[in-house]
Amino acid sequence: MQRHLITSAIPYINGIKHLGNLVGSQLPADLFARYQRARGREVLFLCATDEHGTPAELAAAKAGKPVAEYCAEMHEVQSEIAKGFRLSFDHFGRSSSEANHKLTQHFAGRLADQGLIREVSETQMYSHADGRFLPDRYIEGTCPNCGFDSARGDQCDNCTKQLDPVDLINPHSTISGSTELEMRETKHLYLCQSQMKDQLEEWIDTREGWPVLTTSIAKKWLNDGDGLQDRGITRDLDWGVPVQKGDEPWPGMEGKVFYVWFDAPIEYIACGQEWVDAGKGTDWERWWRTDKGADDVTYTQFMGKDNVPFHTLSFPSTILGSAEPWKLVDYIKSFNYLNYDGGQFSTSRGRGVFMDQALEILPADYWRWWLLSHAPESSDSEFTWDNFQTSVNKDLADVLGNFASRVTKFCRSKFTEAVPEGGAYTERETRLIEELTAKVRDYEAQMEAIEVRKSAATLRAIWVLGNEYLQEVAPWSTIKEDPEMAAMQIRLGLNLIRLYAILSAPFIPDASAQLLTAMHSDTADWPEDVAAALEALPAGHAFTVPEVTFRKITDDERADWQERFAGVRT
RNA sequence: GGCGCGGUAGCUCAGUUGGUUAGAGCGAACGACUCAUAAUCGUUAGGUCGGGGGUUCGAGUCCCCCCCACGCCA
């Protein structure tokens, strides 16, 4: 049996993500996971929260809570929202877990053993009032170039000049406002990625069928300027994985933690352990260790384009550098950005729709369908309320929902609430089945290839076939002269509803479940044989006319939401 | 400034290794039907494929230059 390990880029802990974040990783990953499960394959779908680093500490301080408590709460919040969107993670872990602490320290130790870690002394800005070293962007002062008084330590937002914190005039901490800053010497560990360059490049060159977006970004980082640079993997912070060499202390590194970019991807693996610890599985190594059964696993990662360098270079450096038989990613599916109504989604400015707000307005399926059918695969795409309204109303309410409605209601009024009996297929039905079969095979191929938009378009075309058929055979006419013929047509129509529910489940799981329930169908096997699947509901099988599956979005709602989400999140 | 990804019908997008009259959905117009969530189905309209050169028997599809948008980096 095929086995699929699937991970979505792990969302950062400080706050609720917007729809652009959702469609860039978690949602398409869920689509793929659901599809593979529906095909009967064994799937392990993992995601987690990325919890370490300065932004988490500051967010916690702002909330007046200890950082561990803050993260625990926010993890719960994100977890609930994920459930709301029906993201079917086998486990939603935490990068701050004990498992990840151990594994991160293990990898660092292995990398050191392999000669891939070096110590570097550098100077960083230390704030006495804050009692901590400050990342460049948390220091502000007057720009020596243009005189702008809120230039950050890494760059001036006014003149865009790249800066070093020591360049600033009257530098101060943006956390406390303190001006008691000094450059202090500190020692950090660097991962020698530069030594891995050839190995990484060879690996990437031999990957087949990867999205252009993925490989072009990777190659750029490998060969741009001086090539792949070594990167610091430690920080002078309290919140994080303490620096250790495996189980041993790391002399000179006391009080330091690993930098978030180092421990975050390792959480993909640690999450497998958490999955076992949570009692949901028994053996995580058969997914992650090629010497323990993971040889036949296909590992697919999903992420936005901003995360590609970490997944094509940094994390593989960790894996390959360890010289241990860890499972390396097989396919990286990356996405461009989703824009919002002519601009970018902005977390800091509260522009756009955030995951919690989206669920307050409409059920998950509406968002899932629109976002996936407009996924930014080949280039950035754009969310507009107008497009959202027309797409969702047309596709879900008119084409799919109304199909279920017209068939079931017609049957109830002309026959009974049970599958009618009698009649036999004609050439028209044979043709319909042929067309359906061809489209279903296309749909499968596109789903296997993770062609998200194309899959959605094909699924919609499958829905349309049902409407075309009904329109053509017109059971409301045939019933007048040939009731048996009408019975056969409607029997097929009812079975089509069930077929559609099964095929659509990866995109719109709730609606799919509702339709299956209405059809009183307790099986949902994938239609390997479409003709057979269309006989699953036999004559006499009772059903219930479903509630309106998708209500339409009104013009008033659209206008209201358009205004509500234009500005600042309240 | 460098690099990357794009610029295809009003809108959102497909267009394989260059090959007959450039496609889909929505929107629009017209028609059919009336079972259904004023739904559905059909037909039609509409594009010098960002601009200009070049290679080729032939280019949206390859090469060069330019313009525009977005992003990343300096």
Side-chain angles (χ1 to χ4, degrees), chain A residues 458-502:
Chain A
T458 302
L459 178 60
R460 186 187 190 282
I462 290 171
W463 299 338
V464 167
L465 284 177
N467 281 310
E468 280 176 18
Y469 169 75
L470 271 195
Q471 204 61 34
E472 203 174 317
V473 301
W476 49 91
S477 297
T478 53
I479 195 160
K480 292 169 189 165
E481 306 99 48
D482 189 348
E484 294 237 319
M485 177 74 88
M488 177 278 291
Q489 292 163 344
I490 286 302
R491 188 164 65 247
L492 181 55
L494 291 165
N495 273 286
L496 277 172
I497 295 173
R498 176 179 172 278
L499 177 74
Y500 290 172
I502 294 168

Side-chain angles (χ1 to χ4, degrees), chain A residues 191 193 200 231 261 265 309-319:
Chain A
L191 175 61
Q193 296 186 133
L200 287 168
R231 293 198 59 168
W261 75 258
F310 294 105
H311 291 76
T312 51
L313 307 171
S314 304
F315 189 40
S317 291
T318 301
I319 299 278

Side-chain angles (χ1 to χ4, degrees), chain A residues 203-236:
Chain A
W203 173 62
I204 287 164
D205 282 342
T206 54
R207 298 308 93 189
E208 286 179 7
W210 279 20
V212 188
L213 186 64
T214 304
T215 48
S216 69
I217 292 174
K219 301 286 279 189
K220 187 206 164 224
W221 280 69
L222 274 174
N223 298 308
D224 202 41
D226 299 328
L228 189 60
Q229 298 298 300
D230 295 347
R231 293 198 59 168
I233 59 166
T234 56
R235 294 274 107 163
D236 292 291

Side-chain angles (χ1 to χ4, degrees), chain A residues 489-540:
Chain A
Q489 292 163 344
I490 286 302
R491 188 164 65 247
L492 181 55
L494 291 165
N495 273 286
L496 277 172
I497 295 173
R498 176 179 172 278
L499 177 74
Y500 290 172
I502 294 168
L503 293 173
S504 309
F507 281 92
I508 46 175
D510 287 347
S512 166
Q514 185 207 341
L515 290 175
L516 280 176
T517 301
M519 301 320 292
H520 296 192
S521 177
D522 46 13
T523 59
D525 296 336
W526 193 260
E528 311 289 346
D529 180 342
V530 172
L534 290 173
E535 292 177 357
L537 303 178

Side-chain angles (χ1 to χ4, degrees), chain A residues 10-225:
Chain A
I10 66 178
Y12 199 67
I13 192 71
N14 71 337
I16 292 162
K17 305 297 123 181
H18 54 64
L19 296 181
N21 300 129
L22 178 65
V23 72
S25 55
Q26 293 176 320
L27 196 50
D30 182 67
L31 178 78
F32 189 57
R34 285 177 178 273
Y35 169 75
Q36 292 297 353
R37 290 194 197 102
R39 295 306 304 275
R41 283 100 194 222
E42 195 179 351
V43 168
L44 183 63
F45 177 25
L46 301 175
C47 192
T49 39
D50 176 9
E51 305 193 358
H52 294 136
T54 308
E57 290 187 311
L58 296 180
K62 194 175 171 189
K65 291 174 180 163
V67 64
E69 187 182 323
Y70 171 82
C71 286
E73 284 178 17
M74 286 308 297
H75 173 81
E76 204 44 46
V77 168
Q78 293 210 22
S79 179
E80 284 306 309
I81 293 174
K83 283 179 194 153
F85 274 98
R86 304 296 182 257
L87 301 174
S88 60
F89 307 133
D90 288 295
H91 189 70
F92 188 57
R94 304 181 57 187
S95 71
S96 62
S97 68
E98 183 57 32
N100 196 39
H101 276 235
K102 283 236 155 50
L103 198 57
T104 298
Q105 291 164 344
H106 167 80
F107 270 111
R110 283 294 301 185
L111 291 166
D113 292 345
Q114 301 295 316
L116 291 169
I117 301 277
R118 62 187 172 93
E119 289 186 12
V120 174
S121 276
E122 54 193 17
T123 52
Q124 288 201 346
M125 199 65 93
Y126 183 84
S127 166
H128 291 278
D130 297 299
R132 63 191 295 160
F133 282 92
L134 294 176
D136 294 350
R137 66 171 185 272
Y138 291 109
I139 298 159
E140 282 187 4
T142 302
C143 175
N145 188 50
C146 72
F148 181 59
D149 64 2
S150 299
R152 289 179 319 188
D154 54 345
Q155 179 178 41
C156 174
D157 283 335
N158 188 48
C159 69
T160 75
K161 184 178 172 58
Q162 294 292 304
L163 299 171
D164 202 63
V166 290
D167 298 335
L168 293 172
I169 301 163
N170 300 323
H172 62 269
S173 159
T174 60
I175 300 167
S176 62
S178 169
T179 55
E180 287 180 74
L181 305 175
E182 69 171 46
M183 292 304 283
R184 266 196 197 177
E185 186 140 316
T186 181
K187 209 161 51 172
H188 283 295
L189 300 180
Y190 273 61
L191 175 61
C192 302
Q193 296 186 133
S194 56
Q195 291 183 36
M196 306 288 297
K197 194 222 166 212
D198 292 343
Q199 198 179 347
L200 287 168
E201 186 150 32
E202 190 196 335
W203 173 62
I204 287 164
D205 282 342
T206 54
R207 298 308 93 189
E208 286 179 7
W210 279 20
V212 188
L213 186 64
T214 304
T215 48
S216 69
I217 292 174
K219 301 286 279 189
K220 187 206 164 224
W221 280 69
L222 274 174
N223 298 308
D224 202 41

